Amino acid sequence: MMLDIDSIREMVINFAVLYGLKLLVAIIILVVGTWIIKRLTRIIHNLMVRKGIDESLRPFLGSILNITLWVLLLVLVIAQLGVEMTSFIAVLGSAGLAIGLALQGSLSNFAGGVLILTIKPFRVGDYIEAQGQGGTVHLINIFNTVLKTADNKTIYLPNGPLASTVVVNYSVESTRRVELLFTVSVNNDIGKVRQLIQELINKDERVLQEPAPAIVVTNFAEHAITISTRIWCNRPDYWALLWDMNERAKAAFEQNGIALPVPKREVLSQPSSK
């Protein structure tokens, strides 16, 4: 019985000496490797900023680098523990195949992210509309694109569908066209209405003269006339100019007696009972 206990004790000591040292070295490699990865990731990020790498590309490249370094670190740690790399690579390959089949949607999003960063239909800071959502592009990650809305909501769009859908980018061109629709009564003098609108346009320095403003009648009904006014401005002035022109037009119409259309309602009389 004493011999069995001594044998077991000796076996445990040998095991601790043999594998305890490997485990200690593996832990040291893991700790030092983690520090190196964080440090190297920060250095690469600062280098991309100094080199002027596109802001849309930085988070994506940073994520790819971070994942690659972590995979290499885990391989080193596992090799230090004495696991046969051939067997490990075979297991890793089988696991990768299974994970790939299970995560087809995620792989599609990854491919979509690569496509977006290659074709560049939009960049960080652009205002876009896609998949029924609209907002300013905040981040382009590996698997999704993050939008910030005007009322400070955060929207996550998967890159896979985003790369294959229609995207409206409002930030590509430096100018935009403002279209205003003014509906007035058919009894008004169209020439006077056009003159008032033209005066509003001439007084606003935000309106560009090229392309030239256009004031045209786009609809003529029994009780109303719709006058469409198309003016151009620099992109940052779009919303302010739209709101200001609507407000000033209403005030000008009221001051100059321009009547708005009043819908006609037919009142059906009830038949009298006898």
Side-chain angles (χ1 to χ4, degrees):
M1 187 68 178
M2 291 296 296
L3 181 61
D4 291 340
I5 294 176
D6 291 340
S7 298
I8 294 172
R9 183 185 298 123
E10 184 177 355
M11 185 175 61
V12 170
I13 293 173
N14 291 335
F15 183 85
V17 171
L18 179 61
Y19 291 99
L21 183 60
K22 289 185 178 181
L23 181 60
L24 179 61
V25 174
I27 293 173
I28 293 174
I29 292 175
L30 181 62
V31 173
V32 174
T34 301
W35 180 84
I36 292 175
I37 288 175
K38 291 181 179 179
R39 181 71 176 172
L40 189 59
T41 303
R42 192 179 302 112
I43 291 173
I44 296 297
H45 174 76
N46 293 336
L47 183 61
M48 287 192 292
V49 172
R50 288 200 300 270
K51 293 294 183 180
I53 302 297
D54 193 327
E55 189 178 355
S56 306
L57 203 56
R58 291 177 208 161
F60 188 85
L61 293 178
S63 299
I64 294 294
L65 174 65
N66 194 52
I67 292 173
T68 303
L69 292 175
W70 271 106
V71 170
L72 292 176
L73 178 60
L74 291 177
V75 169
L76 288 176
V77 171
I78 292 172
Q80 176 60 37
L81 291 174
V83 178
E84 283 290 338
M85 293 308 300
T86 305
S87 303
F88 175 72
I89 291 174
V91 172
L92 188 63
S94 301
L97 179 61
I99 293 172
L101 292 174
L103 300 177
Q104 290 183 14
S106 297
L107 293 177
S108 172
N109 290 333
F110 175 82
V114 173
L115 192 61
I116 289 171
L117 290 170
T118 302
I119 301 177
K120 295 182 179 178
F122 52 82
R123 302 170 184 265
V124 171
D126 288 355
Y127 186 91
I128 67 170
E129 285 183 356
Q131 296 179 293
Q133 303 293 338
T136 302
V137 180
H138 180 64
L139 281 175
I140 303 176
N141 294 320
I142 295 178
F143 299 111
N144 57 48
T145 294
V146 183
L147 303 184
K148 293 287 188 180
T149 65
D151 54 350
N152 205 29
K153 291 186 292 188
T154 301
I155 300 175
Y156 297 88
L157 297 179
N159 284 337
L162 184 60
S164 58
T165 191
V166 175
V167 177
V168 181
N169 191 333
Y170 291 92
S171 301
V172 174
E173 303 297 336
S174 59
T175 59
R176 286 190 64 183
R177 190 182 75 181
V178 180
E179 184 160 0
L180 303 155
L181 298 177
F182 301 117
T183 303
V184 297
S185 172
V186 72
N187 298 321
N188 292 298
D189 182 356
I190 296 180
K192 184 177 181 181
V193 176
R194 288 169 58 92
Q195 179 184 354
L196 291 174
I197 296 173
Q198 186 64 55
E199 289 175 358
L200 293 176
I201 293 173
N202 294 338
K203 291 178 182 178
D204 201 313
E205 297 180 353
R206 294 170 296 183
V207 179
L208 302 178
Q209 297 306 311
E210 186 62 35
I215 306 173
V216 295
V217 176
T218 54
N219 191 28
F220 183 81
E222 183 180 359
H223 304 290
I225 299 174
T226 300
I227 299 177
S228 177
T229 303
R230 297 168 183 172
I231 53 180
W232 289 81
C233 67
N234 293 319
R235 188 179 67 245
D237 296 331
Y238 177 84
W239 288 109
L241 181 60
L242 174 65
W243 297 330
D244 289 346
M245 288 294 292
N246 277 321
E247 183 176 345
R248 292 170 184 173
K250 182 179 184 302
F253 290 167
E254 290 177 350
Q255 291 173 5
N256 291 271
I258 302 298
L260 300 180
V262 179
K264 224 176 187 183
R265 296 180 181 177
E266 294 184 2
V267 179
L268 298 178
S269 60
Q270 296 290 335
S272 59
S273 59
K274 293 185 179 179

